[in-house]
């Protein structure tokens, strides 16, 4: 990790999902809800178009926390999630990670996790990750 692991340190990660990734996620998990896969069905809902599985969006958290911030050796103890707004394919998002607290004696940190829609600037998903890493914290 190139960022000092201190309270209020933050890290941003930019990403987007394709419809093919949504289809592959549906195949992997068995969640074939037409809200995610069928544009005609989704058009009849409040969303008006297919939305990404909320958990697929949240997979960006484990990717970043385990490989970039805080990085290798980090292990999840807990993750809370709130799905505030839908996510859509081919839309640019920013995941924002901010260290909220560190228990140095236990090598544990609580890290705020948010996904922000780049265009609207609105938070679509948020939560708190509790991570342990005896090499970093």
């Amino acid at each position: 990790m190139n960022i000092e692991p201190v309270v209020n340190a933050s890290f941003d990660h930019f990403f987007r999902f394709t419809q093919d990734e949504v289809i592959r996620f549906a195949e992997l998990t068995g969640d074939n809800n037409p809200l995610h896969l069928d544009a005609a069905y989704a058009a009849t809902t409040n969303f008006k178009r297919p939305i990404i599985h909320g958990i697929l969006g949240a997979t960006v958290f484990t990717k970043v926390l385990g490989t970039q911030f805080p990085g290798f050796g980090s292990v999840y103890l807990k993750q809370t999630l709130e799905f505030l707004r839908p996510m859509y394919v081919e839309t640019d998002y920013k995941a924002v990670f901010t260290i909220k607290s560190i228990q140095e004696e236990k090598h544990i940190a609580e890290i705020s996790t948010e996904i922000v829609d780049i265009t609207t600037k609105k938070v679509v998903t948020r939560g708190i990750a509790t991570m342990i890493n005896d090499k970093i914290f």
Side-chain angles (χ1 to χ4, degrees):
M1 177 169 85
N2 294 333
I3 297 169
E4 182 73 22
V6 296
V7 173
N8 293 323
S10 66
F11 181 83
D12 294 346
H13 174 78
F14 296 87
F15 69 100
R16 64 175 26 213
F17 286 103
T18 66
Q19 187 62 34
D20 184 55
E21 289 169 322
V22 172
I23 291 167
R24 291 189 350 243
F25 186 80
E27 290 169 349
L28 179 67
T29 63
D31 181 353
N32 62 355
N33 183 332
L35 187 55
H36 306 300
L37 305 170
D38 183 340
Y41 174 83
T44 68
T45 71
N46 290 338
F47 300 110
K48 303 299 181 208
R49 58 187 170 134
I51 61 172
I52 293 172
H53 302 76
I55 292 295
L56 173 57
T59 62
V60 72
F61 297 152
T62 189
K63 172 189 174 182
V64 172
L65 292 169
T67 64
Q68 298 171 38
F69 180 81
F72 296 131
S74 297
V75 176
Y76 259 112
L77 298 177
K78 180 170 62 171
Q79 172 76 57
T80 63
L81 291 170
E82 292 180 81
F83 302 106
L84 306 171
R85 292 176 180 79
M87 292 179 68
Y88 300 98
V89 297
E90 304 303 338
T91 300
D92 293 321
Y93 294 99
K94 173 174 70 169
V96 180
F97 303 83
T98 306
I99 297 175
K100 293 307 202 182
S101 68
I102 298 173
Q103 298 175 46
E104 291 181 23
E105 67 285 354
K106 294 183 179 181
H107 307 286
I108 293 174
E110 287 189 328
I111 301 172
S112 168
T113 54
E114 290 186 333
I115 298 173
V116 179
D117 181 312
I118 297 294
T119 302
T120 67
K121 309 285 190 258
K122 293 183 178 180
V123 175
V124 297
T125 305
R126 71 177 171 210
I128 299 288
T130 304
M131 309 295 295
I132 189 167
N133 189 318
D134 64 357
K135 303 209 181 319
I136 295 177
F137 303 121

